[in-house]
Amino acid sequence: MSDHRPDTPACILVRPQLGENIGAAARAMLNFGWHDMRLVAPRDGWPNPRATALASGARDVLERARLADTLAEAAGDCHFTFATTARTRDMSKPVFTPETAVAEARARMAAGQRVGFVFGPERAGLENDDIAQASAIVTVPVNPGFASLNLAQCVLLVAYEWMRQGDAAVRQAPVPASASVAEVTQWATHLEHELDAAGFFFPPAKAPHMKRSLRNLWSRMPLEQRDIQILHGALRQLVRGKAGGG
Amino acid sequence: MSDHRPDTPACILVRPQLGENIGAAARAMLNFGWHDMRLVAPRDGWPNPRATALASGARDVLERARLADTLAEAAGDCHFTFATTARTRDMSKPVFTPETAVAEARARMAAGQRVGFVFGPERAGLENDDIAQASAIVTVPVNPGFASLNLAQCVLLVAYEWMRQGDAAVRQAPVPASASVAEVTQWATHLEHELDAAGFFFPPAKAPHMKRSLRNLWSRMPLEQRDIQILHGALRQLVRGKAGGG
């Protein structure tokens, strides 16, 4: 990453399929000054000549794009992430419009946090496991009888909102020292590991759903760094105390 | 034209070149409930099978599109028209952003006027003669170093603004089944009890502060009833699993 504080959110494309769409997303971003693109497991590998060809003047965005194997890795330094979905799903997460999401993102970034917007693959969109890792959901309120936004158009609308709300529209609410996605993921992994050892994920058929519910729970919580430290410490002591003879 | 009063502005495409782009513009419109398309001298004639193919679910917009030879004819029933341009030109006309243009359009339409947004051909944009016929100019404030909005994207942004400012832009946040204070307290007590048994609150002088921090942590979290159930279950299993022989 660049060493200066980022002035626009990260645009995280999860498993994008066509290079053309990655290039079009880069153009959409740059129209409104966004430059921090991150790619999670692009289907056709990376770099992709079709993406480069379509990006045209936005090639610089592609060349500086960060490649990652997982969403957790790509969003590791973000304190708050928005998962874009076509429909609000039953994930019990706060649901934002682009307008309210950008207001939230601007407030957090003004307080020094990093924020990412996460976009899914062209056809199917984000999977529930991806959404479970996000802090919140953002949905464009389209015509319920006709919704046909493509990937670059979704990116465009969010980046447009960012521009529209301008630097002056920063909310003055205090923002806590949120834990990063990496820190929350580390905690969720720690707990999952200990619960696994304790035989919590039973029966095995239900384990994936149970694990997703737990990940979803933690990613929704407004956890601060010190909360994470307390939780790690408590879990370690619970395991140690019992193993020691409690 | 339909005989009831139109509830969205007219979208007037002047000399569009590719049928694909006409179809894409129809889709962009319909995403936000726009349906009144007018075509001025489309290059490849009308109807255009490529437009129809790309419009997909928005074919109805194309089928009802009004064909005209001139902009004056297409905009004949409009009381106010906005010419979209990439740069503000020296035409001594009021210049709007999409945001201010839509506010103006909404005010005029609420007063019974008809309003049209005029979009130029893909490559060159509107000619000065077209702009001269418009009431005002609308320009999307893009990155001065990189502007690459295509026709459908321009339509999309204006129609998005229309929706955003509308009454229908109601946030659809579901209200979660929040846990009661009693349920959160019960959980915090359960955890405190087990942590006490595991020797977590050490040294004793620090115990009250540590307990308060933990209580504070849980009361800040947006916990739902099912989260509380999961947490109770996880803690019981952690304790049981370890006691049983972990």
Side-chain angles (χ1 to χ4, degrees):
Chain A
M1 297 305 300
S2 61
D3 47 0
H4 58 80
R5 213 171 84 179
D7 54 352
T8 55
C11 177
I12 305 171
L13 307 188
V14 175
R15 298 181 300 280
Q17 300 179 303
L18 294 174
E20 288 84 345
N21 292 331
I22 302 172
R27 292 170 73 95
M29 289 170 62
L30 200 55
N31 267 298
F32 298 111
W34 285 29
H35 47 77
D36 181 2
M37 176 183 264
R38 305 174 185 192
L39 299 168
V40 179
R43 187 191 67 184
D44 298 337
W46 196 254
N48 181 325
R50 292 183 160 198
T52 313
L54 210 120
S56 177
R59 266 175 218 172
D60 196 44
V61 171
L62 294 186
E63 277 160 20
R64 290 190 290 164
R66 188 159 66 164
L67 189 64
D69 291 326
T70 64
L71 174 55
E73 184 192 338
D77 63 332
C78 293
H79 302 84
F80 201 90
T81 56
F82 291 96
T84 57
T85 69
R87 326 164 280 297
T88 62
R89 311 189 204 186
D90 182 25
M91 297 291 283
S92 42
K93 274 184 204 292
V95 179
F96 290 79
T97 62
E99 182 172 11
T100 55
V102 162
E104 179 76 25
R106 279 194 168 271
R108 289 181 176 272
M109 291 184 69
Q113 296 191 10
R114 288 197 172 175
V115 173
F117 283 87
V118 184
F119 299 87
E122 292 91 327
R123 288 274 169 88
L126 291 169
E127 290 178 5
N128 284 345
D129 281 343
D130 304 317
I131 298 171
Q133 295 177 58
S135 319
I137 286 173
V138 57
T139 297
V140 182
V142 288
N143 178 353
F146 182 80
S148 82
L149 297 174
N150 64 35
L151 177 57
Q153 286 175 327
C154 282
V155 172
L156 184 81
L157 289 179
V158 175
Y160 165 81
E161 260 298 337
W162 180 265
M163 175 282 298
R164 192 187 65 78
Q165 293 187 28
D167 309 276
V170 173
R171 214 172 41 169
Q172 296 296 332
V175 177
S178 295
S180 69
V181 169
E183 289 163 329
V184 175
T185 303
Q186 218 167 17
W187 155 246
T189 305
H190 180 191
L191 177 62
E192 193 174 292
H193 173 81
E194 292 299 349
L195 287 173
D196 224 351
F200 179 65
F201 299 112
F202 187 86
K206 280 195 172 176
H209 176 73
M210 293 169 79
K211 289 180 181 181
R212 194 189 309 131
S213 293
L214 262 175
R215 298 258 169 186
N216 193 30
L217 190 164
W218 298 115
S219 64
R220 268 196 305 115
M221 297 296 136
L223 290 163
E224 302 180 15
Q225 284 170 351
R226 60 179 175 183
D227 297 333
I228 297 277
Q229 287 162 12
I230 292 173
L231 291 170
H232 276 300
L235 179 57
R236 268 194 301 269
Q237 190 60 34
L238 273 175
V239 171
R240 193 188 301 143
K242 289 296 161 185
Chain B
M1 297 305 303
S2 61
D3 48 1
H4 58 79
R5 210 172 85 182
D7 54 353
T8 54
C11 176
I12 305 171
L13 306 189
V14 176
R15 298 183 300 282
Q17 302 179 303
L18 295 174
E20 288 84 345
N21 292 331
I22 303 172
R27 292 170 71 94
M29 288 170 63
L30 199 54
N31 268 298
F32 298 111
W34 286 29
H35 47 77
D36 181 0
M37 177 183 263
R38 305 174 186 191
L39 299 168
V40 179
R43 188 191 66 184
D44 299 337
W46 196 254
N48 182 325
R50 292 184 160 196
T52 313
L54 209 119
S56 177
R59 266 175 217 172
D60 195 44
V61 171
L62 295 186
E63 278 162 17
R64 291 192 291 163
R66 187 158 69 165
L67 189 65
D69 290 328
T70 63
L71 174 55
E73 183 193 340
D77 63 332
C78 293
H79 303 85
F80 200 91
T81 56
F82 291 96
T84 57
T85 68
R87 320 164 284 296
T88 63
R89 310 189 207 187
D90 182 23
M91 298 288 285
S92 43
K93 273 184 205 291
V95 178
F96 290 78
T97 62
E99 183 171 11
T100 55
V102 161
E104 179 75 25
R106 280 195 168 272
R108 289 179 177 274
M109 292 183 68
Q113 296 191 8
R114 287 199 172 175
V115 173
F117 282 87
V118 185
F119 300 86
E122 293 91 326
R123 288 274 169 89
L126 290 169
E127 290 178 5
N128 284 346
D129 281 345
D130 304 316
I131 298 171
Q133 295 176 60
S135 319
I137 286 173
V138 58
T139 297
V140 182
V142 288
N143 179 353
F146 183 81
S148 82
L149 296 173
N150 64 36
L151 177 57
Q153 285 175 327
C154 283
V155 172
L156 185 81
L157 289 179
V158 176
Y160 165 80
E161 260 300 334
W162 181 266
M163 175 283 300
R164 192 187 65 77
Q165 294 185 31
D167 324 76
V170 177
R171 211 160 52 146
Q172 30 186 324
V175 178
S178 294
S180 67
V181 170
E183 287 163 330
V184 175
T185 304
Q186 216 169 18
W187 156 244
T189 305
H190 181 190
L191 178 62
E192 194 175 290
H193 172 79
E194 292 298 348
L195 286 173
D196 224 352
F200 180 64
F201 299 113
F202 186 87
K206 279 195 173 177
H209 175 73
M210 293 170 79
K211 289 180 183 179
R212 194 183 317 126
S213 293
L214 262 176
R215 297 261 170 182
N216 191 30
L217 190 165
W218 296 114
S219 63
R220 271 196 303 111
M221 298 295 135
L223 290 163
E224 301 179 15
Q225 285 171 348
R226 59 179 174 184
D227 297 332
I228 296 277
Q229 286 161 11
I230 291 173
L231 290 170
H232 277 300
L235 179 58
R236 271 195 297 270
Q237 190 60 33
L238 271 175
V239 171
R240 192 188 302 142
K242 288 298 162 185

